[in-house]
Amino acid sequence: MFTIFNEELAEVARRLRDDHRDFAAGRWDAARLEAHRVTELKSTVDYVRANSPFYGRQLADVRTADITSSTGAAWRAVPFTTKDDLRAAQHDILSRPLSKAWIFYETTGTTGAATPCPRDNVDSLANNTALTVHYDTIFRRYGDDQVIGVSGPTELHAFGDTFGDVCRNLGLAVAKMWPHSPMVGFDRAVAVLRDLGITGLFCTPGMALSLAKRLHAAGLDPRRDLRVRVLMLTGELASPELLANIGELWGARAYNALYASQEASVLGAAGEDGGLYTAPLINHYEVVDPATGEPATGTGDVTLGELVVTSLYQGAKPLVRYRTGDLVRLTRGDAGATLPADRLEVLGRTRDELVIGGRRISGYDLENLLLGHVRGYLDYQVVLDRDESGADRLSLRLEAAADEPPRVDPEIADHCRDVLGVEVSVGHDRFGSITGTGAMVSWKAARVVDNRSGADTDGETAAAASLASART
C-alpha cells in the first residue's frame, strides 16, 4: 500500500510485477536475460562503489565498461565479498544510510558478530515480487479459504514481514505465531493452529517437527486434528526425504519453500512441482570451487560448488560476488518445469561436509541417504563413532511418537554400507531442543554428534547447546 504515496516506487512495483510474470510465462529468452544481467551488474557495481564505504575501497579499480558478459574474464576479475568482510565492515557495507531504509534486520550473531541487514523499499519490492510469482504457482491450487501461519525465529528477522507481505499479495490471511516467544509458547501456538483452522504454515523443518512433537504429546494428530494442507519450510537443510516424512506426519504437501539469508535476501524459491528455483531477475548466480574460487566444472546440466551471488537491484545493501559459504548443485532449467529457471539443491554449508569411511559427503546427501529408509519419526540425529579397529560407525537415532513407532526399511544397513562403506545402525532417543537449533546455528551442530577422536569441532556446537538450554 505504501507505493500509492510514492509514484516512483509505484512504477518500480508495476515494472517488477510485469517482468516477473513475463519471465514465469516463458516470455524472456536467453538473450534478454543476459542483457538484463549485464546491465544490472554494471549498475550494481557503480551504485555500491559510489555509496558504500566498503565497496568504494573494494571495487575502486573495477572498470564497468569492460564488463560485457556475466561470465567473462572482466566480471570474474571483480573481487569476492565474504562473510568476514561483512562482519568487519558492519555499517560500511551499506549503500544507503539507515534512515533511508524502511526496516532494520540483523543476522543472529550466534557464532560471530551480528551484521546489519536493513532493507529499503526497493529491496522488499524486488524480493517479495519474486516470491509472490513463485508461490502463486503453489497456493492457487488450495482454493480461496486459506489461513496461513507464519512461525519465524526472532523479531529481528525478515521471516514474518516477508511472508506476511507475500501472502497479502496473494490474497491469503496470515496469523503470525512465534512458539519460542515467552508470550506465545508452543501450547498457544498449537491452539492457534486448531482454533483458526490454519491451512498452511511457513516455518523451519525443525519447527514443523517440534510442533508435531507437541501435538502428539497433547494426544493430537496433525493429520486428523488440523487443517494444514501445505507446509512451506525454510531456514534449514531440507532434503527430499526429510520433506517427505514431515509431509506424511502432517498429512500435507511439504515444500523446500525458500533459500535465502539475511545478508543476501532471496536466492531461491519453490514452484508447484517442488523444485527450488533461482530468481534470475534479481540475482546473478555463479558456482565456484570452494578451495580455489575458480568457476566450478559441471557434468552435463549439473554444476556442483560454492554459490556466489550478486544483487541485480540497487537497494540498501546490494552485495557483489558474495561467497555464501553454501555448497549447491545447480541444474539447468528444462522446458517441462513449473518455472523457466535453473534449479538449486542446497547441500549445506561447505564446512558442514563430513568425511565418513574415507568418503566426503554433504549434509544434504547424508540426510537424504539415511532418511530414505525411515518414515514416521518425529525427530532424528546422526551419531558418529569409531570402533576399536579405527573404523567409522554411524548410528541413526530416531524419536518416535508414543503410539506409533517409526517404520524402518531393513535394507538401510546394506544400502548405506554400499554408499558410505561403513556399518549403520538405527536406534531410538529423545533430543530435547538441540535438533531445533539448525536455523540459528548449522545443520551439523544441530543434527550430528561426532564422537570420533580428532573430529572437527567449532564454536557452533557449543552455541547450539547453549541455545537449546535457553529454549528448554
Side-chain angles (χ1 to χ4, degrees):
M1 180 177 178
F2 68 88
T3 57
I4 67 174
F5 295 96
N6 186 313
E7 289 298 327
E8 183 179 352
L9 286 172
E11 179 56 32
V12 170
R14 284 190 288 269
R15 177 179 57 78
L16 285 167
R17 177 200 63 194
D18 293 345
D19 282 350
H20 280 273
R21 283 178 171 172
D22 282 350
F23 177 81
R27 291 190 283 269
W28 281 55
D29 60 18
R32 182 181 178 187
L33 184 57
E34 173 65 0
H36 170 78
R37 273 194 296 257
V38 172
T39 297
E40 296 305 325
L41 288 175
K42 292 181 174 183
S43 296
T44 294
V45 170
D46 286 337
Y47 176 80
V48 300
R49 185 167 49 196
N51 295 289
S52 161
F54 169 80
Y55 280 122
R57 300 185 298 270
Q58 174 94 336
L59 305 181
D61 297 328
V62 175
R63 285 172 43 88
T64 52
D66 294 338
I67 300 172
T68 58
S69 164
S70 66
T71 59
W75 177 251
R76 295 201 308 272
V78 175
F80 291 119
T81 305
T82 67
K83 290 181 184 289
D84 285 341
D85 290 331
L86 301 188
R87 293 187 182 106
Q90 291 291 312
H91 288 269
D92 277 357
I93 204 83
L94 305 182
S95 291
R96 302 199 74 190
L98 183 57
S99 61
K100 300 301 182 183
W102 82 269
I103 196 164
F104 177 82
Y105 304 120
E106 66 180 21
T107 57
T108 58
T110 51
T111 58
T115 58
C117 302
R119 295 187 185 171
D120 70 4
N121 289 315
V122 170
D123 294 314
S124 292
L125 286 171
N127 285 276
N128 294 0
T129 299
L131 289 182
T132 300
V133 172
H134 279 66
Y135 291 167
D136 181 51
T137 67
I138 295 172
F139 285 107
R140 68 172 65 146
R141 59 188 297 224
Y142 291 100
D144 58 4
D145 64 340
Q146 299 176 62
V147 182
I148 308 301
V150 176
S151 178
T154 73
E155 290 79 4
L156 286 174
H157 200 280
F159 197 105
D161 294 319
T162 297
F163 292 130
D165 189 44
V166 169
C167 286
R168 176 185 279 187
N169 293 343
L170 294 171
L172 308 173
V174 167
K176 293 181 181 178
M177 37 180 278
W178 316 106
H180 287 300
S181 165
M183 294 298 293
V184 179
F186 276 83
D187 290 339
R188 179 60 186 148
V190 167
V192 168
L193 287 169
R194 298 188 73 196
D195 295 347
L196 300 188
I198 297 293
T199 60
L201 182 63
F202 283 93
C203 66
T204 66
M207 178 59 71
L209 291 170
S210 294
L211 285 168
K213 287 187 200 179
R214 189 57 59 105
L215 285 156
H216 278 276
L220 302 170
D221 186 331
R223 296 166 295 188
R224 181 191 66 225
D225 298 305
L226 299 180
R227 294 184 62 218
V228 174
R229 292 172 282 180
V230 58
L231 292 160
M232 304 291 280
L233 306 179
T234 184
E236 296 173 6
L237 204 65
S239 67
E241 296 295 351
L242 178 64
L243 294 176
N245 180 74
I246 292 174
E248 181 180 299
L249 286 176
W250 285 77
R253 176 74 184 269
Y255 286 91
N256 185 8
L258 175 69
Y259 169 45
S261 71
Q262 289 277 71
E263 302 96 331
S265 297
V266 172
L267 302 178
E272 190 277 331
D273 61 2
L276 183 69
Y277 291 92
T278 60
L281 302 193
I282 62 171
N283 299 300
H284 174 44
Y285 300 85
E286 301 173 72
V287 181
V288 303
D289 184 301
T292 67
E294 293 299 313
T297 56
T299 302
D301 291 336
V302 180
T303 305
L304 170 68
E306 181 184 355
L307 184 67
V308 174
V309 294
T310 301
S311 308
L312 299 182
Y313 54 94
Q314 295 81 47
K317 189 183 178 180
L319 298 178
V320 175
R321 299 203 81 201
Y322 175 58
R323 294 188 67 154
T324 63
D326 292 332
L327 193 66
V328 303
R329 274 194 290 262
L330 184 71
T331 303
R332 192 175 306 157
D334 62 75
T338 295
L339 292 158
D342 295 341
R343 280 173 289 178
L344 285 164
E345 289 177 285
V346 184
L347 308 182
R349 300 180 186 179
T350 54
R351 64 177 181 269
D352 279 355
E353 286 188 294
L354 291 161
V355 177
I356 303 173
R359 307 180 193 188
R360 184 172 294 275
I361 189 168
S362 70
Y364 178 96
D365 288 331
L366 177 61
E367 180 181 86
N368 207 48
L369 169 66
L370 296 173
L371 301 187
H373 297 273
V374 293
R375 285 291 185 272
Y377 54 91
L378 296 175
D379 214 341
Y380 87 93
Q381 201 167 56
V382 174
V383 179
L384 293 166
D385 292 287
R386 284 199 175 111
D387 63 19
E388 293 180 356
S389 70
D392 288 342
R393 291 290 181 267
L394 187 154
S395 175
L396 175 62
R397 315 300 292 177
L398 302 173
E399 183 167 340
D403 59 342
E404 191 174 351
R407 304 184 303 281
V408 180
D409 181 348
E411 294 185 1
I412 182 172
D414 290 340
H415 188 197
C416 293
R417 191 184 302 111
D418 291 342
V419 174
L420 294 173
V422 302
E423 295 298 324
V424 176
S425 62
V426 179
H428 301 280
D429 211 335
R430 298 282 175 182
F431 304 114
S433 299
I434 188 71
T435 53
T437 63
M440 305 289 285
V441 187
S442 73
W443 170 84
K444 187 161 68 173
R447 294 289 181 189
V448 177
V449 177
D450 196 340
N451 297 321
R452 298 174 296 180
S453 60
D456 291 335
T457 59
D458 55 39
E460 294 196 338
T461 301
S466 176
L467 183 59
S469 177
R471 286 179 170 179
T472 300

